[in-house]
Structure formats: C-alpha cells, structure tokens
Amino acid sequence: MPKDSSIQKILIIGSGPIIIGQAAEFDYSGTQGCLALKEEGYEVVLVNHNPATIMTDTAYADTVYCEPLTVKTLTSIIEKERPHGLVASLGGQTALNLAVGLDEKGVLEKYGVKLLGTSVDSIQKGEDREKFRSLMDELGHPTAESSIVHDLEESLIFSEEIALPIIVRPAYTLGGRGGGIASCMEEYKKLVLSGLKASPIHQVLVEKSIAGFKEIEYEVMRDSKGNCISVCNMENFDPVGVHTGDSIVVAPSQTLTDREFHMLRTAAFEIVSALEVVGGCNIQFALDPNSSQYYVIEVNPRVSRSSALASKATGYPIAKVAVKIAVGYTLDEIINPLTRTTYASFEPALDYVVVKFPRWPFDKFPEANRVLGTKMKATGEVMAIERSLEAAFQKALQSLDLSLESLYGGMSDLSLEELEKKVVTPTDSRFFELMELLRGGRSIESLHGMTGIDKLFLSVMSNLTNMEHKLRSSSFSAKLLKEAKELRFEDRTIAGLTGMTEAYIAGLRMEEGIIPVFKMVDTCAGEFEAITNYAYSTYYGTNEIESLPGEKKVLIIGAGPIRIGQGVEFDYSAVKTIQRLKEHGYTTIMVNNNPETVSTDYETADRLYFEPITKEAVLSIIEHEKVDTVLIQFGGQTALNLAGMLEGEGITLLGTSSDIIDQVEDRERFYQLLDGCEIPRVKGDICHSKKEAIHVAGNLAFPLLCRPSYVIGGKGMVKVKSLEEMQRFIQTADEEYFPILVDEFKEGREVEIDLVGDGEDVYVPGVMEHIERAGVHSGDSMSIFPSESLSAEIKETIEGYARNIVSALQYKGIMNIQFLLQSRKVYVLEVNPRASRTVPIVSKVLGFPLIDMATDLMCGERLTIDAFDPPSEIKGVGVKYPVFSSHALPEIDQILGANMKSTGEGLCLGETVEEALYKVFEELHGGVEAGGTMYVDCEQAKQYQTAQEPSFSEWIKTDHACVYFNNEETDTMKKRRIAALEAGVIVITEIETLQAFMRSKNAHVQQKPLVHSKSIQGVSRV
C-alpha cells in the first residue's frame, strides 16, 4: 500500500526526561521512528526536552523542539509547524496521554492533523480501565474480579466484598505509578488516594489480587489490514505481583506447554484486533500454574519497555516497523533489514535464550524500601544472550556492574532460617537469597512453595550451585573447566572456587582450546541467509562470525545498564563518536549490554557485541576481532575502570592512558597534579585507614566532605559537621570504603565546563553555572548555560586552569572540570577524564556536537579555535534541570546533597534566563494558575507562601495543595517532605530553586527549536 500522499510533514512526541518507568527504551524507539520516517521521505518535527538522548540530536529530525511536553506547548508548535500527521506511539505514556489531550481539546481536528497508527478511541479502550474491562467482557477474555472507582468511598464498597490483598491500578499512568498491592486497610486507602491523584482521569481499578500466577507478555505487531504477528513472548521469573520492570524476564517463555503458548498467543491476537491497534502492542497475562485459567492484566497500545527488550532479543526492529505500519505499509510490504530476503510478516525464531535482569538504585539508597510490588523501582536493566538459561543468568549477573559483595549484601551473616523468612517477600536480593538457600541444601520443592517461582527456574539455579560445589570439592580437570565455562563461570570465579589463580585458569583454557565462539542474532534461527553484524558469545557449538575486515578497527566500550549517575547521556556520546569514527575510516565495534539504548541497535556500529563489560568478555572480543585500539571516554566509569587492564594487555587507548586516568581519579595523585600546576584546591587529604581519617579531620575546618575515589554520581559521599560525627561515621564505615578523600566543605558557587583538548590546547565552549548552592551534586542542580553572571576575569582563569591541566596530562579528547567560586577565587574540585552527563546539554545549546570535535582530536587532528569563541548561532540560553523519580521511591528524602538522586534531566531554551526558567516550571505555574497553593516551611522564605491553612497537616489534605518548600534537615521536616511526595505534591528543598521559580513567574515564552551550527569546526589535520 503506498503511503498517503496528503501527509508530508509528521510530528513525533518524545517521552521527556528519564524517570523510573519511562527510560531510554523510548529514546531507542523514538530514534528508530525518526530514521524510518526520514527513510520514507517525510519531513520530521520532533518535540522532546530530554537533552541526554541521541533522539534529540538534530541529525535525526528536520526540526527538534526542546520544549515542555504539555498540551499548551504542543498546540503552539502544531500551529507554527502545521504537520499533517502525528506519531504518539513512540513516546511512552507521556506521548500517549498528550495525544488524547490534543484530541479532546479539538487541536488535531482544528489543524487537520491525523493521528497515525492506533486511534484515540483504541488508546482509550486500552488505557481507560473501565472501557478495557468492558471490552474484555465482550470478547470473553477473563480479567480478575475488579471495580472501577473514582473516589475513596467507591473503593471501600469493593473492599467490603473482596478480601485483602487488593491490587490498585491507576488509569493512564506508567511504571505502576500511584498503584500497588494493599494488604491492610490503611495501606489500601493510601494507595487509592495516591492512585486517583496520579491518574490524569482520576480513575483507579481495584482488583482481587492474583499474585502468585505466572506472568507472561506477548509483544504483538498488527497492521491496518488486520495482519498480526507475535514478535516475541516473554516470561517473568517472578510470579504476578512484581512489576514486569522489576522482574527478571526470560525470552522466549520457558515453562509454558505448547497448548498454553498458543492459547495466550491467540488471545493476544484477538485483543489487539478488537482494539484495532495499528503498530506495536504489549499484552500481559496472568496464568494459573495449576490449570489453564488465565487473566488479562493489561494492554499497552504503544511501543513499551518490553518492546525495546523484544527488539534486542530477536533483532526485529519493532519501532521502525510500527512507524512504517502507521504511515500505511502492511507487514508483507516491509523488508526485514536483518535478512533482507524475508518480510516483517515473518515471525522471529530464536535459537538461543535471553535473560533480562533489572538494575536497581538500592546500592546508592540503602535506606529505600526494597520490597518489590506493582510499582516499578528499577532504573535500568541488562540483557544477556546465551544457548542455555544457566549461562544467560550468569552473563546477566556479570553485566550488572556490581561487586559480589553488593549482590549478596550481608547474607553471609544470616542463617538459612532467616533467609527462608526473607525470601518469601520479593526484594531486589531475592534471586541471591535463593542461591544461598540452594547452596545450603534447601530443596527446589520447598523454595517453590515459599515463592511461587517455577521449579524450572529454580532447577536452573540449582545447576549453577551444583557446579560451584563441584569446583570446590572435585579434582579439577580440563573437562570440568569446559563444563563450567559452558555455564559461563568467569575465570576469576573459577579461580576463587578452586583456590587457583585467575592467570592459571586462563592459561589452561587457552592450552585446551576452551575459548568462546560467536553466534549471530538474525531473527530466523539460521533458517534463512542473513546479513547481520549482531553477535553474542557462547562456549557451545561453532563460530558463526569472522572478524571484520579493515586496517583501522576500534572497540567502543559502552556504559552498561542505566543507573543514577550513569544514564543515557553516555549512550549519546557513544553513538556520536561511532558516527564520527566511521568518517575517519575506522571500522567500529560496539560492546554493551543495555537493551534500552541506541548504541545496542545493530545498525549503529559496524558490529555489535551484546556482552558483559568485564575483563574476560572484552578481551575475548578484542582477540576475536584482532582489535588494537579501544575507546573508553564514552562509557562512563564502567569503561574507565578497564583502562589499566587493557593497557596491561598491550591495547592502545584512543586519546588517553590508564596513567592519565589514575592521575585524576586517584585523589592523592590528583592533588599532586593540581599543586604542580599551581591551581588552587580545597584543603584536604587522602586517608588510607580509619585512624588516618580521624587524624586528618582533626586538622581541617568542619564541615567536611568524605568521598572514595573512582566513583560516579556521588556514590559513597558523606558530609560530616563535627569531629564527633566524623568519628561515628568512620567507625561504621567498611574497610572497602578506603582510601577516602577528606576535604573541607566550602560555601560558594559551583560552575563546570566541558572541554575538548588536543594534548596542548583546549576549546571551552562556555561555562555552566549551577543555580543551587555548592554541595548539591552537579547532577541534581539546575544549571544555566552559558553562564549569565561570570566576569571575563573568572572565565579567563577557568580557561587557563583547563589549559594547564590538559597540557600537564597531554590529554586528548573530551573532559569535564568542576570548579568552586568564592568571591574572585577559583578552586578546582574535580576532573573527569571522559564524556560527562552535561556533554549532550552543552552540545545542543551550542548547536555543535562536542563529541565530533573530541573524536577528531583523538584521531590526530589539532585545535584551530580559541576557548570561549562561541558560534554565531547561539542566541539565548539553556537551563538544565534535574528530574527525580520520587513517585517510585517516595521514602527517599529529596533534600539535596553530595549523593546524586535524580534519574534524568530536562532542558529548556529561551531568549532570556527567565524565559527558559518559566518553561522549566511550566507545570508548577499551571498548577498555581489553576488555584494551587504553596506552603513554605521556612521563615527565610515565608513571604512566598500562598496557602491560607495555618498548619502543614491541614494544608496537605486539601485539593489545592500544589507546591511545598522545606529545607530543614530534621526528622520532622523529613517526614513532612515524604508525606508531601506521597500526596503527589511538588517538593522543593533548596532556597535557590524556589527563588528561580519565583523569578520565572512573569516571563514571556516562545517556542525555540534546536539548530545546527554551520560555522564551527575548530579542528584541522596535523
């Protein structure tokens, strides 16, 4: 079917800043969508204010608006751009809700904009709990006994009829926001009220709990002619009751009978067809493990988190196909890009198994509630591909970028009886608790009875613990080594279990020819010839992929799973450098394990390896591909931590060296570097023991900041206010915490720069000025770029310090430096020898990707541009602001400090700072203008209060409670902040943030597209 000739320009709505429940998977889907539409010749207009993503790079759409995602803003952009079509299925729940809002306001009809793909009516049938339940009743597909409620009174009537526990599911929300499982009346009432507030239509489904059933997902594709395929079916390791984003997931399903598989597949097709979905759709089922009884849990009539996982698990580009279907193509007209001989109507077949494992933020927030339920808490995930489930589990665990100590926590101190009590409740550590119980001799049958987890999964885990036992107790042999490697035990693990050295194990493997082979992901299980460069390693079978040709081959190491402090901004940098390296004639090879990202799209690099980012996995790829150059500047701390090992193996690091990294990451050497360059630093010292830390603290002025080396996102940073507090903190610190840096904590302003250096000189495009006080982590502060208030003298000092550091290190590539300003004094706080989270922000305001310039310099070119020589296209200013996932973790106190808490960031542009700030706070302004009030728990800022209620307890119960300010670090004030978050109120904890909000109140606002700079290049060949 030819595309509709009346549609020439298409608007795509993105998903906005990353939050728990809506993360980088929509960047991946959105990017695929943009590329697919441009491939078909459409003019693409994108609206998304997430600066960290590659999706908002101006290379992917003809026009990119970095604007707030509101009906008001979108209406203005539609009026200005006059698109003919709208795609809302790629931007998560945010885009879907906005499409419905635009339709209800009559905007689409007024401007003649056609919603492409799934219709508004179909969206409402899938998202509106009442309409969905009615449709399922008509089709004869069972749903759990439930009731639609619009207020607390209605919910209490249902609770009188149905015994607790009861599941609360708000309509039109993401990641289970506002919902959960209630096991007592107090909890039930609280969840209903929060769910009603979270739902845009103030509607909640309360249903009888079917926790304990198997949870099965089908990722389905349907075109406008009614053709349906099942792209992938997935099975949750955890029974119903744990959000699928927090569950371990295997694909394809492993425990279903053929009858059960086809029963649910048929049901999925019937539901998708009844909804008249056009594009991708995800359907979740609950299946009774003891019968054929199933229930339909919910439908997402859009691409989802599971769509990204299914795409990477199968190699089938779901978002790309969904968009082409949306503009009129049918499945039998779209060529499968992996085979180039079959069509998109061909259902993928897998000759391997995939395991997805969530990545939670609890290593940063040990005080958080770690119990898992229907509200998602994971910040990201890893994916592993292997030939057996045992091996896939192992690779997934190795990909989490956590130490064994972090994985197993304090379990070694617990008895088996204590572990049995713990394992009944789903938490992030349940998998590891089960492994401990299996090691302790507990039976599969008993563990199944405690958890409801299928016996097959438990038997797979038992196979792993049995191999551990063999390695500990059996006589070691090449045969046993091969068996262990087939199960993907790493050399270092085998060494620890056998008492041998890692070098001996690796040497024996090489002698015996026990080396990994590489297999293809081709969507057809080898049934058809495929042209693919998407690979994974295994110790089963024979090699399917030869090394790539080319004299210049570079391996780019990715950042792994998204977590707080290391997000999708590193994926942006990795993708940009791959594109630039290709222009320099390099053959590019990518290794990463994050299914949500564009870097793990098989079309990004010349070859993609989906593998753990560990010493053993990376070296096996290097050996197979005969790579002699590795790029680590764009993989966050994960990649940097491999620097010394790689150089030890004779590998060249492009643009840097392990010694350079050590000079800025090791605090002792860092101090020596600054002192040698005569650059002021905050007074402090490195401490290697508890005794030394107390001694150093006694000679410094409090408060002090204690932090370990080689960390990201402020993990492990602690501020102490007195010697007594320091002594208490140090006595409870683990030995692994040392060595630590103990610094005086100085008041002042923080600024930072992202620069590129050629080993001698630097280009600094501008200074980013933090709005909040010094001491707030840079990832959690609002920032203005370029700075509005710094003098030429301060800028000159900053540029001079930057040049001295680059020259002293002979550093090539991209670098981030953070400074503290006190009056006219400039201190260097930190140097990051890699791309930082601010690189995409600076690049998008600047209008030129700094990564391109950094890559040129690493490839041997020289700078030809002076520092602070901005391109003429910069007209105005950008304000970066943090976004917190407090809806998922409301028990985490949002008061800001050295430990980063935000999961994402947004960017707003304006002709003035006030205009950009207004856009940042547009939602708050809208709430206030609609009658919302602000309560201020601080005498210093009491003049900003608009609430009339005399007490916080009275105000928080009102419908007009909108904004709450509280910056006191007391238990009482902490409880109030948490209560406000749980009530769905916006909480501000910094006086500077509040002042910025008030400053923006009356700003004039206009939409401002991102632009590419044509004039700036800044490099030339040597």
Side-chain angles (χ1 to χ4, degrees), residues 872-1005:
S872 58
E873 282 82 353
I874 286 190
K875 295 175 182 174
V877 66
V879 172
K880 181 273 290 187
Y881 63 97
V883 177
F884 302 89
S885 293
S886 52
H887 67 281
L889 302 166
E891 70 277 6
I892 302 294
D893 186 8
Q894 287 301 308
I895 199 153
L896 304 181
N899 188 18
M900 183 175 167
K901 295 178 179 178
S902 58
T903 53
E905 64 259 331
L907 172 66
C908 290
L909 306 175
E911 295 296 323
T912 64
V913 173
E914 287 77 13
E915 182 187 344
L917 284 171
Y918 184 91
K919 293 177 183 180
V920 169
F921 294 112
E922 186 169 317
E923 185 182 349
L924 267 68
H925 286 303
V928 169
E929 288 163 10
T933 59
M934 179 161 60
Y935 193 94
V936 177
D937 250 333
C938 171
E939 287 306 317
Q940 182 186 356
K942 206 68 178 178
Q943 70 269 26
Y944 299 129
Q945 178 164 316
T946 58
Q948 299 300 310
E949 289 74 18
S951 70
F952 171 81
S953 58
E954 289 178 48
W955 172 78
I956 199 65
K957 294 175 186 175
T958 65
D959 292 334
H960 56 75
C962 181
V963 186
Y964 178 57
F965 177 77
N966 167 346
N967 63 351
E968 289 185 29
E969 297 186 43
T970 64
D971 288 342
T972 299
M973 292 304 183
K974 177 182 177 180
K975 287 175 182 175
R976 287 188 180 184
R977 284 190 291 271
I978 291 172
L981 287 172
E982 289 178 338
V985 171
I986 302 292
V987 175
I988 298 175
T989 64
E990 300 299 316
I991 189 71
E992 297 88 354
T993 315
L994 180 62
Q995 289 166 346
F997 170 54
M998 302 310 296
R999 176 183 175 184
S1000 68
K1001 204 171 180 181
N1002 300 310
H1004 172 70
V1005 177

Side-chain angles (χ1 to χ4, degrees), residues 468-608:
E468 290 175 358
H469 180 70
K470 282 184 184 179
L471 290 168
R472 281 196 190 96
S473 57
S474 303
S475 56
F476 191 64
S477 65
K479 180 175 180 294
L480 184 59
L481 176 59
K482 187 172 191 305
E483 290 174 4
K485 295 309 292 184
E486 286 175 347
L487 297 181
R488 290 314 291 241
F489 280 84
E490 288 190 299
D491 289 351
R492 60 176 178 168
T493 305
I494 297 171
L497 291 167
T498 59
M500 300 173 185
T501 66
E502 185 178 346
Y504 173 79
I505 299 295
L508 180 60
R509 271 204 307 111
M510 298 305 166
E511 272 180 41
E512 298 292 335
I514 306 171
I515 57 174
V517 296
F518 294 91
K519 302 281 187 182
M520 289 196 306
V521 173
D522 60 10
T523 76
C524 61
E527 188 174 345
F528 299 95
E529 188 173 342
I531 303 165
T532 178
N533 277 310
Y534 182 3
Y536 67 95
S537 71
T538 182
Y539 282 84
Y540 292 99
T542 56
N543 194 61
E544 292 179 356
I545 289 189
E546 297 301 317
S547 62
L548 287 171
E551 294 181 6
K552 296 192 331 183
K553 285 196 273 191
V554 59
L555 176 67
I556 300 96
I557 298 180
I562 287 175
R563 76 253 20 202
I564 293 174
Q566 190 160 293
V568 71
E569 61 276 356
F570 294 100
D571 197 64
Y572 162 87
S573 297
V575 173
K576 292 300 292 182
T577 197
I578 286 169
Q579 294 167 347
R580 197 66 166 186
L581 285 165
K582 287 181 178 180
E583 294 178 25
H584 283 275
Y586 277 94
T587 299
T588 56
I589 301 163
M590 183 77 205
V591 57
N592 206 354
N593 49 51
N594 186 341
E596 302 175 308
T597 60
V598 178
S599 71
T600 53
D601 187 329
Y602 64 89
E603 291 184 309
T604 298
D606 294 307
R607 179 162 289 168
L608 166 68

Side-chain angles (χ1 to χ4, degrees), residues 359 363-364 402 406 708 711-717 898-900:
R359 180 60 158 83
D363 56 321
K364 279 182 71 70
L402 287 168
S406 297
V711 297
I712 196 164
K715 183 180 174 183
M717 289 190 186
N899 188 18
M900 183 175 167

Side-chain angles (χ1 to χ4, degrees), residues 277-418:
V277 168
V278 178
C281 185
N282 173 265
I283 305 177
Q284 295 167 28
F285 295 99
L287 177 67
D288 185 348
N290 302 311
S291 72
S292 295
Q293 176 65 52
Y294 71 89
Y295 294 105
V296 182
I297 298 175
E298 66 179 356
V299 173
N300 290 308
R302 55 173 168 80
V303 297
S304 64
R305 176 185 324 100
S306 298
S307 305
L309 176 64
S311 287
K312 301 299 170 64
T314 62
Y316 187 101
I318 290 172
K320 185 174 286 189
V321 172
V323 165
K324 293 200 174 188
I325 287 173
V327 296
Y329 288 95
T330 55
L331 285 163
D332 56 355
E333 293 175 327
I334 304 168
I335 294 286
N336 182 330
L338 264 78
T339 64
R340 301 187 195 174
T341 56
T342 62
Y343 288 85
S345 53
F346 184 90
E347 286 196 355
L350 280 61
D351 54 0
Y352 50 81
V353 65
V354 166
V355 167
K356 178 218 85 174
F357 209 105
R359 180 60 158 83
W360 291 282
F362 302 130
D363 56 321
K364 279 182 71 70
F365 305 130
E367 73 276 23
N369 179 3
R370 302 172 85 122
V371 175
L372 305 179
T374 60
K375 183 169 63 177
M376 184 175 167
K377 296 182 179 183
T379 55
E381 58 196 34
V382 298
M383 187 183 94
I385 313 174
E386 254 291 1
R387 307 293 275 198
S388 74
L389 198 49
E390 288 87 349
F393 272 138
Q394 293 270 67
K395 279 175 87 171
L397 295 178
Q398 292 155 16
S399 299
L400 288 172
D401 201 16
L402 287 168
S403 65
L404 288 176
E405 291 76 20
S406 297
L407 293 174
Y408 288 97
M411 271 180 260
S412 58
D413 299 329
L414 299 175
S415 68
L416 292 179
E417 290 73 22
E418 288 171 317

Side-chain angles (χ1 to χ4, degrees), residues 591-644:
V591 57
N592 206 354
N593 49 51
N594 186 341
E596 302 175 308
T597 60
V598 178
S599 71
T600 53
D601 187 329
Y602 64 89
E603 291 184 309
T604 298
D606 294 307
R607 179 162 289 168
L608 166 68
Y609 285 94
F610 226 101
E611 294 291 299
I613 301 170
T614 60
K615 171 185 174 181
E616 190 173 319
V618 169
L619 287 179
S620 67
I621 295 167
I622 289 170
E623 173 64 27
H624 179 72
E625 289 288 354
K626 305 296 184 285
V627 169
D628 59 9
T629 305
V630 174
L631 185 52
I632 62 172
Q633 285 190 17
F634 307 115
Q637 201 65 39
T638 301
L640 283 194
N641 290 344
L642 293 175

Side-chain angles (χ1 to χ4, degrees), residues 41-60:
Y42 291 101
E43 183 181 348
V44 179
V45 178
L46 170 68
V47 186
N48 196 5
H49 59 309
N50 184 345
T53 70
I54 195 71
M55 182 188 186
T56 52
D57 186 89
T58 49
Y60 289 90

Side-chain angles (χ1 to χ4, degrees), residues 81-344:
E81 292 288 342
R82 298 301 172 103
H84 308 109
L86 170 66
V87 172
S89 58
L90 304 175
Q93 197 67 44
T94 298
L96 220 55
N97 291 354
L98 286 166
V100 172
L102 289 166
D103 181 73
E104 289 176 345
K105 294 281 187 182
V107 176
L108 301 184
E109 183 180 4
K110 179 180 178 181
Y111 294 102
V113 182
K114 181 181 180 182
L115 181 62
L116 301 174
T118 304
S119 68
V120 168
D121 183 56
S122 294
I123 291 169
Q124 289 174 329
K125 283 180 182 176
E127 295 285 337
D128 185 299
R129 299 290 181 180
E130 192 160 14
K131 291 180 179 179
F132 178 68
R133 190 180 64 170
S134 297
L135 179 62
M136 292 305 100
D137 289 343
E138 285 176 30
L139 296 174
H141 290 297
T143 56
E145 195 170 347
S146 61
S147 178
I148 307 298
V149 301
H150 303 86
D151 55 40
L152 184 60
E153 189 176 340
E154 288 181 7
S155 74
L156 293 177
I157 294 170
F158 179 76
S159 67
E160 289 172 4
E161 301 168 357
I162 300 295
L164 293 164
I166 295 174
I167 298 178
V168 178
R169 300 185 191 275
Y172 286 94
T173 63
L174 58 98
R177 183 172 188 169
I181 302 178
S183 53
C184 67
M185 282 308 297
E186 184 182 354
E187 189 178 12
Y188 178 62
K189 292 175 184 178
K190 190 174 179 180
L191 281 174
V192 168
L193 290 172
S194 66
L196 290 169
K197 196 153 191 173
S199 169
I201 61 171
H202 305 291
Q203 181 200 89
V204 162
L205 177 80
V206 287
E207 69 178 19
K208 180 181 178 180
S209 174
I210 47 173
F213 280 36
K214 292 182 183 183
E215 185 159 352
I216 311 292
E217 296 182 72
Y218 279 77
E219 196 66 33
V220 176
M221 190 70 67
R222 180 183 179 273
D223 64 27
S224 58
K225 286 188 175 179
N227 300 310
C228 281
I229 68 164
S230 170
V231 177
C232 185
N233 93 308
M234 294 162 274
E235 179 174 2
N236 287 12
F237 172 90
D238 297 288
V240 171
V242 174
H243 191 281
T244 186
D246 279 339
S247 180
I248 302 163
V249 175
V250 299
S253 57
Q254 299 292 298
T255 74
L256 300 188
T257 64
D258 185 61
R259 182 177 175 278
E260 288 170 337
F261 170 83
H262 284 287
M263 174 183 71
L264 296 179
R265 179 178 178 273
T266 301
F269 285 178
E270 288 178 2
I271 293 166
V272 168
S273 297
L275 285 170
E276 297 183 327
V277 168
V278 178
C281 185
N282 173 265
I283 305 177
Q284 295 167 28
F285 295 99
L287 177 67
D288 185 348
N290 302 311
S291 72
S292 295
Q293 176 65 52
Y294 71 89
Y295 294 105
V296 182
I297 298 175
E298 66 179 356
V299 173
N300 290 308
R302 55 173 168 80
V303 297
S304 64
R305 176 185 324 100
S306 298
S307 305
L309 176 64
S311 287
K312 301 299 170 64
T314 62
Y316 187 101
I318 290 172
K320 185 174 286 189
V321 172
V323 165
K324 293 200 174 188
I325 287 173
V327 296
Y329 288 95
T330 55
L331 285 163
D332 56 355
E333 293 175 327
I334 304 168
I335 294 286
N336 182 330
L338 264 78
T339 64
R340 301 187 195 174
T341 56
T342 62
Y343 288 85

